[in-house]
Amino acid sequence: MDVYLITDDGVRDCAVDELPELLTGRHGIVWVDIPQWSAEAADVLTTTFGLHPLAVHDCEVRNRLPKLHAYPGSLFLVLHAPERGAGGHVHHVELDRLIGPRYLVTVHGPVNPAVPIEVALRDTHEVLERIRAGRLRPRTSFDISHAIVSTLTRRMEKFVEDLTSDVWELEGRVTDGAYGNPEHFLDEMFRTRHGLLAVRTIAAQTAEIYRRLAGLPRAVPEESRHLVTDLIDQFDRIAGLAGEEKDYLQGVIEFYRTRTETKMTIAAERLAVIAVVTLPITALASVLGMNLIVNDRTTVVPLTVALAVMLAMSGSLLWWAKRQGWW
């Protein structure tokens, strides 16, 4: 657990036992960052910050949906960020925040063991480094929270951009006809579509949470309300981009499937023509064969007539199939 005091003079690293004194002080913003859940973290949130037991429980367990709880003097929010995993899987990296008048608590995870802890911490670490370097000078805890979420949305936008690159590559292979194994190629397209659907869902759900926050009176200080509006716009934009790209990829998939189904239909028609043309030959040969060709001798005239009839029947069927446009 890391404790920071952010003032106009910079960032000071503090100890956990300093928290009561820091929270009663009149200057600076207290930022508590909890990389991994522990009994100490539960005690600090319960005793020092007076967080509701249900919210403490939400910090401890994995939440599948974003959440918002407004308490007197503080807000508790749960949100997720997408992270690409193996085989097209999209991990939902969780970040919980407790926002008060002069303090911010960030709780990471729990995360899937397949996700490195550095992935969960990168957004908060980036914002902390910006504050240390003087590139960000927050006036309120909402400013820090907004900076963290804005960093997260930039990564979400990069996530969509990477998937868009995959969509362009897939579309190029479809139009060039160079997609190799059809089953494997279709699997690639569906995995990419799944990634776009996942990020769109995350962004749309989070935007709804912030819309609810914007509609709560006195939940956000007046000077920070524009930050909530900005985050709604960011998540709406990401959801829109991912949704439009997913629809575009769906069009590519439909184009590919239509082309493949057309080829299969043409092949089936040609096979049907072959079957129709050979059917009379097979039928006639099966009836007359043993009567025309025997072990001792062959009756030439009947055999010639039968062969001529077979050719005539097959030729007539080929001419009729051509007239129908089947080949």
Side-chain angles (χ1 to χ4, degrees):
M1 182 186 306
D2 301 312
V3 180
Y4 310 103
L5 178 64
I6 302 171
T7 64
D8 293 338
D9 298 328
V11 180
R12 179 168 73 87
D13 294 3
C14 305
V16 176
D17 55 13
E18 295 182 69
L19 271 174
E21 181 182 351
L22 294 174
L23 292 172
T24 56
R26 296 183 178 181
H27 303 288
I29 305 168
V30 179
W31 181 4
V32 179
D33 187 51
I34 304 175
Q36 291 181 313
W37 189 252
S38 64
E40 181 187 33
D43 180 66
V44 167
L45 289 177
T46 302
T47 306
T48 306
F49 290 95
L51 187 59
H52 194 280
L54 290 178
V56 175
H57 176 72
D58 286 337
C59 291
E60 181 180 3
V61 302
R62 190 172 186 180
N63 297 279
R64 292 171 176 79
L65 292 172
K67 293 183 179 182
L68 165 66
H69 297 298
Y71 300 105
S74 65
L75 290 170
F76 178 74
L77 296 102
V78 175
L79 59 79
H80 302 90
E83 180 67 20
R84 297 183 79 169
H89 178 66
V90 179
H91 297 287
H92 288 53
V93 182
E94 183 175 332
L95 176 65
D96 307 332
R97 287 162 299 142
L98 177 65
I99 309 173
R102 287 188 51 254
Y103 62 83
L104 170 68
V105 180
T106 50
V107 183
H108 302 271
V111 296
N112 191 305
V115 179
I117 188 62
E118 294 77 14
V119 171
L121 302 178
R122 61 190 176 187
D123 296 324
T124 51
H125 281 184
E126 181 177 325
V127 171
L128 180 62
E129 290 305 312
R130 288 170 56 195
I131 297 174
R132 289 188 188 277
R135 299 194 305 273
L136 175 64
R137 298 183 179 276
R139 297 173 300 169
T140 68
S141 55
F142 280 93
D143 291 343
I144 303 176
S145 176
H146 174 267
I148 294 172
V149 179
S150 293
T151 304
L152 183 148
T153 58
R154 285 196 297 272
R155 296 193 192 279
M156 291 178 70
E157 193 167 348
K158 180 64 167 57
F159 187 96
V160 176
E161 184 177 352
D162 291 342
L163 289 173
T164 300
S165 176
D166 293 344
V167 172
W168 287 14
E169 191 265 339
L170 292 168
E171 188 228 9
R173 288 161 64 186
V174 169
T175 54
D176 292 341
Y179 36 77
N181 185 332
E183 183 178 354
H184 176 70
F185 182 68
L186 194 60
D187 183 69
E188 282 187 70
M189 290 196 288
F190 278 113
R191 289 178 189 274
T192 304
R193 189 184 70 171
H194 170 70
L196 290 167
L197 179 61
V199 69
R200 188 193 70 173
T201 302
I202 292 173
Q205 289 177 343
T206 309
E208 288 304 314
I209 289 296
Y210 277 102
R211 283 194 181 90
R212 181 180 172 227
L213 177 58
L216 293 177
R218 299 185 300 277
V220 181
E222 190 62 36
E223 65 272 15
S224 299
R225 284 195 167 274
H226 68 285
L227 301 178
V228 176
T229 303
D230 178 65
L231 291 178
I232 294 173
D233 179 71
Q234 291 188 50
F235 283 110
D236 278 342
R237 186 183 73 254
I238 292 170
L241 291 173
E244 292 297 327
E245 201 60 40
K246 185 189 77 69
D247 292 342
Y248 180 73
L249 177 58
Q250 185 62 39
V252 175
I253 293 173
E254 293 300 325
F255 176 37
Y256 168 76
R257 293 177 64 178
T258 301
R259 172 185 284 179
T260 304
E261 290 168 2
T262 301
K263 288 182 178 180
M264 293 299 295
T265 301
I266 293 173
E269 289 177 350
R270 290 174 178 172
L271 289 173
V273 169
I274 294 173
V276 168
V277 169
T278 59
L279 180 61
I281 299 176
T282 303
L284 190 60
S286 64
V287 173
L288 302 178
M290 293 303 297
N291 297 318
L292 297 177
I293 303 175
V294 296
N295 293 330
D296 294 336
R297 64 190 180 86
T298 300
T299 53
V300 177
V301 174
L303 174 62
T304 303
V305 173
L307 291 175
V309 172
M310 292 180 187
L311 290 174
M313 293 175 65
S314 297
S316 300
L317 287 172
L318 282 173
W319 174 80
W320 180 74
K322 182 69 173 179
R323 290 285 302 270
Q324 298 299 318
W326 289 0
W327 64 282

